Amino acid sequence: MTSRDTERPLGAEVVYERPRALADVVTHYCPGCTHGIAHRLVAEVLDELDVAGRAIGVASVGCSVLAYKYFNVDMQQAAHGRAPAVATGIKRVHPEAVVFTYQGDGDLAAIGTAEIIHAAMRGENLTVIFINNAIFGMTGGQMAPTTLVAQKTTTTPRGRDPARAGYPIRVCEMVSVLDGAGYVARAALSSPSNIARAKKAVRKAFESQLGGYGLGLVELLSSCNVNWGMSPGDALRWIETDMIPVYPLGVFKDRSEAGAEAARMEVAG
Amino acid sequence: MSGKVLMKGNEALAEAAVRAGCRFFFGYPITPQNEIPEYMSGRLPEVGGQFIQAESELAAINMVYGAGGAGARAMTSSSSPGVSLKQEGISYMAAAEVPGVIVNMVRGGPGLGGIQPAQSDYFQATRGGGHGDYRTIVFGPATVQEMVDVVGKAFELADKYRTPVVILGDGMLGQMMEPVVLPEPIDPASLPPKAWATTGTGGRRPPVVINSLYLDAAECEAMNRRLQAKYREICAREQMAEIAFPDSEYFVAAYGTTARICRMAIQEARARGHRVGLLRPVTLWPFPAEAFETVIGRAKGFLTVEMSLGQMVEDVRLVVAGRAPVSFYGRTGGVVPSSDEILIEIEKMVEGGGSM
Amino acid sequence: MKGLVFFDEDRCKGCGLCVPVCPKDVIRMADRINVRGYPPAEAVEPERCTGCGLCARMCPDTVIRVYRQTPARAGKG
């Protein structure tokens, strides 16, 4: 069944249709997985900024490994954790391109920590879409560096015990102290209002690249209802009740506006 | 003046890469190849290129993957431990058919090893090195001039076959200075366009993807068969070797720095009346079996000499296939064999009628 | 302001995230299953839809299209 985009009611104003930059395919993501929302927000922003024609995306390894099938833009598939390095190579060859990575928490915050820190250190004009769902999804629910304390996973069967498995890693806070980071924000995909705010953050992360302010990173708290063992709706509530207290939402850095936060960074820098 | 300049191996190689149209270099410090990133850091900006000292050799090869996949001539260099970190990235380049040049100034190993020259990464370079059924083209230059010449060839073949190409040097080749004639510079803009590269659709064409993920087993196998067909073509067309004194009865098989030392031993052996020649692979993969076939008929024995404990000797045995005795002599860990040591082995080979 | 909402039934994975976000309770999970074997979301009382688009914003699989018809045109049907 193909989507019926073309069947618009006569004379009606479009409120919502599939963004052009999003491929017209049904994704492999589990029912209720908010990866699909994140994909859509990226595509909507690419359309609104009218840059899909010069966008080059880098897919990572994890549940979103197939992201290269879901965007109507040129894409490269990177080795696990290496998307920021691959994207750096692309951006240096095509500085006028709009280069973005789409990475999960295992990819960015576990194996790829060095790559994201150094892409930010270098101030690469890239956009990083970072999906934090506090678990390794694709491989069946293992602990991720972003797994919460006491959260049960297949590798923390009695709950994550900091004495043995450490503490949740807060990527936005880490990256935002690097001078090369231009925009760093965390948002959540847990409700329509949070999704609206998330879209603004995604757009700002692209504008950071377009404006040459340095690395634009947006961390999106996302659900993994299947591996969390919850219904899709309960999973969204869990984001708000359990994840947000550990991962506070907000803008951690925005060099495009000399806001207080950014000013303080400049002084400290 | 024939346009010769006295240059250190590492620097000559870097300059040759720039002249071959390489505008993107991603490296990381490791002795004995540091002069390559150092040289590139100053030189590339002069030609509108990009140099990055990456956070690791592993990040560097992934930058080559990105830049190569975006259509550029890109290179990275390192030495043994650093090259080990690149193997995953090289496997991805092979599978996604991304061109790029990887330089390994080999040093004594394994582990942290030493910093003197060695050839103990031969297996890693010629057997693929990372996971999966793939090979990379591998050059084993023996002089600074030849190193300069194979750089241009490496970029040419990388683009021609859309594959990673390895240049296997060693600490000595990288550090020594020799007079060289540098190639005429190529303007990268003059290179043929790459429709498969990720440049942005411009809204004018469907998206292209640089990818090595094949979750469907049959599709993954089909990808592998495409690679194998490519490798067969490379084997048929790109073998390179030098034979000195082809009418000899005995041959020393050696490449790179070791081959130069063997030349001296061979000259002394010939002076003593032994009919010994040198068979020097220039491409280590594809292994130059054709060159061996031209001499196997009358050869009474082969002595393989390496700065390792025996790696290329296995390929020599494979090609000779029992038609003549193949013996081995090697030093490793950074120890460079002397021509006297090799002369003793040559005489053992000749006196023993080439017995094992 | 008249809203028009369309569900591409066979894309739906039956996750139900759209149901609770509709301010007018227009949406329900159907009791039949679609080609994928999931019970799709459907508009039970489409006439109450105001075209706010929250359901489409919440949908992970771009199943939902939303339009608004200005009253004048709505009159002509």
Side-chain angles (χ1 to χ4, degrees):
Chain A
M1 267 299 292
T2 62
S3 131
R4 290 190 302 274
D5 278 317
T6 47
E7 292 163 23
R8 259 183 215 158
L10 202 57
E13 171 211 346
V14 176
V15 174
Y16 187 78
E17 279 182 341
R18 179 178 52 79
R20 288 188 312 282
L22 198 64
D24 184 8
V25 295
V26 178
T27 69
H28 72 290
Y29 296 114
C30 306
C33 171
T34 49
H35 258 304
I37 298 172
H39 280 43
R40 197 193 69 227
L41 295 183
V42 171
E44 285 170 12
V45 168
L46 290 177
D47 283 353
E48 284 159 24
L49 295 173
D50 192 18
V51 293
R54 56 190 177 104
I56 303 174
V58 181
S60 60
V61 174
C63 286
S64 61
V65 68
L66 294 176
Y68 63 85
K69 292 187 177 205
Y70 301 142
F71 291 107
N72 281 327
V73 301
D74 281 357
M75 298 215 39
Q76 294 198 19
Q77 172 61 56
H80 194 33
R82 313 314 169 192
V86 172
T88 296
I90 297 169
K91 184 70 175 183
R92 294 307 182 95
V93 173
H94 298 301
E96 76 299 340
V98 176
V99 182
F100 67 95
T101 72
Y102 187 102
Q103 302 174 254
D105 42 20
D107 191 276
L108 183 140
I111 191 170
T113 311
E115 274 68 22
I116 189 62
I117 293 295
H118 284 274
M121 173 276 287
R122 290 190 301 268
E124 297 289 343
N125 277 302
L126 299 171
T127 299
V128 175
I129 309 299
F130 166 42
I131 305 301
N132 174 358
N133 60 5
I135 204 156
F136 271 73
M138 164 72 86
T139 42
Q142 296 79 17
M143 182 191 92
T146 48
T147 292
L148 307 189
V149 169
Q151 181 183 340
K152 284 192 168 64
T153 72
T154 57
T155 49
T156 56
R158 297 178 190 80
R160 181 177 188 178
D161 171 6
R164 274 192 289 278
Y167 298 88
I169 200 167
R170 295 185 183 82
V171 169
C172 281
E173 287 80 345
M174 275 194 326
V175 172
S176 61
V177 300
L178 297 170
D179 295 347
Y183 177 81
V184 181
R186 180 182 294 123
L189 301 175
S190 52
S191 68
S193 54
N194 275 341
I195 291 168
R197 278 189 285 272
K199 177 172 177 178
K200 283 200 190 72
V202 168
R203 180 171 178 130
K204 289 285 285 184
F206 275 98
E207 284 169 346
S208 178
Q209 171 174 180
L210 294 170
Y213 293 106
L215 191 89
L217 180 136
V218 56
E219 176 177 349
L220 298 175
L221 302 186
S222 188
S223 64
C224 182
N225 41 293
V226 167
N227 283 306
W228 292 354
M230 300 172 192
S231 74
D234 290 347
L236 297 189
R237 276 180 288 282
W238 192 77
I239 291 176
E240 303 203 335
T241 55
D242 288 63
M243 283 188 78
I244 291 177
V246 175
Y247 300 108
L249 307 184
V251 178
F252 293 82
K253 188 165 186 188
D254 185 351
R255 283 182 48 202
S256 67
E257 287 161 4
E261 184 61 31
R264 193 169 63 77
M265 284 302 160
E266 295 315 329
V267 168
Chain B
M1 262 291 285
S2 59
K4 287 206 170 192
V5 281
L6 191 60
M7 281 184 93
K8 178 176 265 200
N10 281 332
E11 288 166 354
L13 181 146
E15 178 57 30
V18 172
R19 290 172 178 235
C22 171
R23 290 295 178 274
F24 300 91
F25 178 87
F26 312 103
Y28 192 86
I30 184 167
T31 302
Q33 57 85 61
N34 294 312
E35 293 82 1
I36 298 177
E38 288 168 350
Y39 187 91
M40 286 299 206
S41 66
R43 184 78 173 95
L44 279 177
E46 292 171 354
V47 291
Q50 294 278 334
F51 163 82
I52 293 182
Q53 181 173 315
E55 57 269 29
S56 69
E57 293 92 343
L58 185 153
I61 189 69
N62 280 284
M63 293 176 187
V64 169
Y65 177 97
R73 284 192 162 181
M75 183 168 102
T76 185
S77 67
S78 185
S79 175
S80 305
V83 179
S84 290
L85 286 176
K86 295 180 190 290
Q87 294 310 310
E88 181 198 36
I90 294 169
S91 170
Y92 275 66
M93 288 175 70
E97 301 193 86
V98 172
V101 173
I102 300 101
V103 177
N104 180 0
M105 291 300 176
V106 181
R107 67 189 230 177
L112 192 50
I115 58 170
Q116 286 79 11
Q119 296 180 321
S120 34
D121 299 357
Y122 177 92
F123 278 156
Q124 178 189 69
T126 58
R127 293 324 190 250
H131 56 287
D133 290 307
Y134 75 95
R135 297 296 179 105
T136 59
I137 295 171
V138 183
F139 287 99
T143 65
V144 174
Q145 183 64 59
E146 192 172 48
M147 205 153 48
V148 160
D149 298 337
V150 299
V151 166
K153 186 80 171 153
F155 277 107
E156 180 202 319
L157 296 186
D159 281 350
K160 176 179 174 185
Y161 294 102
R162 284 185 62 184
T163 186
V165 176
V166 172
I167 296 176
L168 210 61
D170 63 55
M172 188 180 288
L173 276 169
Q175 293 300 323
M176 76 169 65
M177 293 186 81
E178 282 185 321
V180 287
V181 175
L182 291 166
E184 281 311 304
I186 293 174
D187 173 4
S190 69
L191 294 169
K194 297 172 179 174
W196 48 263
T198 57
T199 56
T201 65
R204 289 186 300 279
R205 60 163 174 74
V208 297
V209 180
I210 300 293
N211 168 55
S212 62
L213 177 70
Y214 292 88
L215 287 175
D216 175 81
E219 282 177 17
C220 194
E221 185 178 54
M223 173 269 285
N224 270 282
R225 294 220 187 280
R226 281 198 306 276
L227 294 184
Q228 292 304 320
K230 178 194 303 190
Y231 299 145
R232 277 193 299 278
E233 196 186 336
I234 292 171
C235 285
R237 292 203 185 148
E238 310 297 345
Q239 292 181 34
M240 286 169 69
E242 177 214 343
I243 302 177
F245 313 110
D247 57 352
S248 302
E249 289 177 330
Y250 296 92
F251 287 89
V252 175
Y255 72 94
T257 297
T258 309
R260 299 173 67 146
I261 302 164
C262 291
R263 243 189 252 277
M264 287 165 57
I266 287 167
Q267 266 152 16
E268 182 50 32
R270 293 181 67 84
R272 297 185 183 179
H274 303 308
R275 295 181 57 212
V276 185
L278 172 69
L279 205 160
R280 181 175 73 86
V282 176
T283 55
L284 304 181
W285 198 89
F287 190 70
E290 286 161 4
F292 278 85
E293 290 299 338
T294 63
V295 298
I296 284 176
R298 63 175 176 288
K300 291 183 183 162
F302 290 85
L303 166 67
T304 306
V305 184
E306 296 174 68
M307 289 194 288
S308 77
L309 294 183
Q311 295 187 26
M312 185 179 80
V313 62
E314 293 195 5
D315 283 336
V316 175
R317 286 199 177 106
L318 271 176
V319 168
V320 171
R323 290 175 282 175
V326 174
S327 55
F328 170 75
Y329 181 75
R331 302 298 299 269
T332 197
V335 171
V336 178
S338 69
S339 58
D340 294 342
E341 292 168 65
I342 296 167
L343 181 56
I344 292 165
E345 297 303 318
I346 290 174
E347 295 196 311
K348 272 191 208 162
M349 168 171 64
V350 172
E351 277 134 26
S355 63
M356 282 309 158
Chain C
M1 183 60 76
K2 182 75 189 63
L4 298 168
V5 61
F6 297 91
F7 291 79
D8 187 343
E9 180 166 303
D10 286 321
R11 293 178 77 104
C12 183
K13 297 175 184 170
C15 76
L17 290 182
C18 56
V19 174
V21 302
C22 174
K24 300 291 183 187
D25 294 323
V26 167
I27 309 170
R28 194 196 60 185
M29 303 311 289
D31 43 26
R32 65 187 180 288
I33 58 170
N34 66 9
V35 68
R36 299 180 175 282
Y38 295 114
E42 62 180 2
V44 175
E45 303 177 55
E47 68 288 353
R48 298 180 49 186
C49 171
T50 63
C52 73
L54 291 188
C55 55
R57 191 187 302 171
M58 195 70 235
C59 174
D61 292 290
T62 58
V63 171
I64 306 169
R65 290 178 295 122
V66 183
Y67 305 90
R68 275 205 203 106
Q69 220 142 21
T70 45
R73 275 200 183 53
K76 289 203 198 62

